[in-house]
Amino acid sequence: MAHRVRWLGHAACQITTEKGAVILIDPWISGNPSCPIKKDDIKQADLILITHDHFDHLGTDVPDLVKSTGATVIVQPELADTLRKAGVSSDNIVHYGMGMNIGAEAEIAGVKVIMVQAFHSCAAGTPAGYIIILDDGKTIYHTGDTGVFDSMRLFGDIYNIDLALVPIGSVFTMNPLQAAVSLSLIKPKVAIPIHYRTFPVLTQDAAEFIDLSSKKAPEVKVEAIKPGQEVQI
Ligand SMILES: [Zn+2]
């Protein structure tokens, strides 16, 4: 047995732990042209992590997913307000409905989640990334939408990161070169490129990222999977 990390297209990811906890990150399901599943295919979620409020991350499914699964949502306070207005109960938002902020952590269903900074834009709150420590210590870093920044090195030093989910699409996030350099800072064992090909303006394939990563961070194994596929850690 192992933990399973499935890419649902764009920034959406689904982690199923060895013990059966399910974590959704940025579940833009409805309307996501590269998502291989439907909202109703998600039967279980214990945690939903939202990096920021752009449509391709927050999406429109979170209130329904919370209702159908009872998941707890991790968001910043400003986005907690947005979700409450959309019908999500405070009981389903982290820290008694208050949300949390950069540097903070929450532990739910045996999974520890730390919110970290990301450099991007959004309407409410600030963009974030997440470091997710599973019950056996395996650690996943979803950077959120961001350019490269030197504190990624700090995260690599503080947390022993097994898997990094990094955007490579350019236009809105890191391009393939920045994403490759980010791996040299984060030092994960494995990396999955995300946030590309969804729209015509984005980088259309992972070839350049794979090539640059082999030069900038040769010790990192890059797994360029297709939406719907998963990696085990
Ligand atoms: Zn985005």
Side-chain angles (χ1 to χ4, degrees), residues 170-181:
S170 194
V171 181
F172 304 114
T173 68
M174 296 192 282
N175 62 14
L177 174 60
Q178 286 206 2
V181 171

Side-chain angles (χ1 to χ4, degrees), residues 10-11 52 54 56-57 120 145 172-173 195:
H10 207 56
H52 63 296
H54 287 164
D56 55 328
H57 296 262
H120 191 63
D145 279 8
F172 304 114
T173 68
H195 212 283

Side-chain angles (χ1 to χ4, degrees), residues 104-120:
E105 69 178 39
E107 191 163 355
I108 294 161
V111 176
K112 196 181 279 186
V113 178
I114 299 108
M115 185 184 281
V116 297
Q117 66 267 40
F119 289 88
H120 191 63

